[in-house]
Amino acid sequence: MASSPIGIFGGTFDPIHYGHLRLAEELGEALNLAEVRIIPAGQPPHRGEPRTPATHRLEMARLAIADNPRFKLDAREVRLERASYTVDTLTDLRAELGSQQPIWLLMGADAFLGLTTWKEWRRLFDLANIAVAHRPGYRLEQADTLNEELRQELERRQAIQAADSTAGCIMLKSITPLDIAATAIRSTLQSGHSVRYLVPDSVLTYIQKNQLYLTA
Ligand code: ATP
């Protein structure tokens, strides 16, 4: 019998917010994932140096997921002293977990729309399945936003039977639409306004205690 699938959810998490947590919760439930590994990026290759040190982003993620038994924090990317690429992280995880382990790479629609710019993006499908959650403001089904190569992969890989698949499928999933973004949270904090109920209270307390996001 195939082992229960696990989910991999990477991001800058600067800071982690309820948009991230609902994505992990809803895809975790929909795919019956045994665990969801939250993997904060060290130095994201696409977006320059994140403004908040990895230790803070890691600690906020730890606090945010502390009471969820399905969520596990994985610090491997922040421990790297070079840029972290998803294809490399997945290659390591695949080696650790074995070829029979179903793996789902979780992401929001905006990340998926940019997938063809990722390092060795086609190889991602050899390593994992991809589950894409809808996100307000990003339209997945529109030909004008979807790169032609990606549209073809989507068409082909959505048709593959996902049950027990170890890698190679794509699933699109509607989740509770939450128009929350870390960029907006940072600028709200910089202008001295409240981000309560956009992030868990434990994360808010940590932000205040460490005086994060006070300057642009
Ligand atoms: P920023 O505003 O700094 O770009 P972000 O809020 O988009 O940050 P990231 O850490 O870049 O957060 O995102 C990590 C992953 O979470 C990505 O796959 C992204 O698509 C997804 N994601 C983030 N916010 C949401 C949301 N509100 N709804 C659905 N997916 C989301």
Side-chain angles (χ1 to χ4, degrees):
M1 209 183 93
S3 24
S4 308
I6 75 158
I8 305 297
F9 184 37
T12 317
F13 303 126
D14 188 16
I16 195 163
H17 55 68
Y18 280 130
H20 299 128
L21 294 167
R22 282 306 300 180
L23 181 152
E25 179 72 1
E26 293 191 36
L27 292 181
E29 200 170 39
L31 292 161
N32 200 17
L33 301 178
E35 87 184 43
V36 176
R37 294 212 193 172
I38 311 281
I39 311 189
Q43 198 185 339
H46 294 303
R47 356 187 330 171
E49 190 93 29
R51 58 190 311 286
T52 310
T55 46
H56 285 316
R57 292 183 292 106
L58 202 58
E59 185 56 16
M60 289 187 282
R62 195 186 65 74
L63 290 166
I65 68 173
D67 57 1
N68 188 322
R70 190 175 356 222
F71 295 173
K72 305 270 185 289
L73 188 63
D74 186 326
R76 69 183 65 221
E77 290 194 359
V78 303
R79 283 196 226 106
L80 286 179
E81 278 172 16
R82 52 184 164 78
S84 45
Y85 292 95
T86 302
V87 70
D88 298 330
T89 301
L90 277 179
T91 302
D92 291 350
L93 283 163
R94 181 50 84 193
E96 284 166 29
L97 298 167
S99 59
Q100 298 308 306
Q101 170 67 58
I103 299 178
W104 284 88
L105 178 63
L106 315 182
M107 65 182 71
D110 58 311
F112 184 72
L113 289 172
L115 199 73
T116 59
T117 65
W118 292 22
K119 182 186 168 190
E120 297 177 63
W121 70 277
R122 286 183 192 279
R123 211 155 73 73
L124 296 172
F125 297 111
D126 300 334
L127 295 162
N129 301 296
I130 298 187
V132 187
H134 285 265
R135 181 174 186 178
Y138 298 92
R139 292 213 293 255
L140 284 168
E141 279 89 4
Q142 299 267 327
D144 57 336
T145 53
L146 203 56
N147 169 303
E148 179 55 23
E149 281 182 299
L150 193 56
R151 195 193 58 73
Q152 286 175 14
E153 288 290 352
L154 180 59
E155 214 171 79
R156 196 157 68 82
R157 295 181 180 279
Q158 255 188 311
I160 301 172
Q161 186 50 256
D164 292 343
S165 170
T166 52
C169 303
I170 301 179
M171 188 192 77
L172 305 186
K173 180 90 175 78
S174 290
I175 60 169
T176 306
L178 292 173
D179 196 0
I180 305 176
T183 308
I185 290 174
R186 292 193 300 272
S187 62
T188 302
L189 285 164
Q190 276 148 27
S191 56
H193 295 292
S194 164
V195 298
R196 195 173 180 195
Y197 310 127
L198 297 175
V199 300
D201 285 347
S202 55
V203 172
L204 183 57
T205 304
Y206 185 91
I207 290 171
Q208 288 166 339
K209 198 169 126 214
N210 291 279
Q211 301 189 305
L212 303 180
Y213 310 115
L214 294 180
T215 54

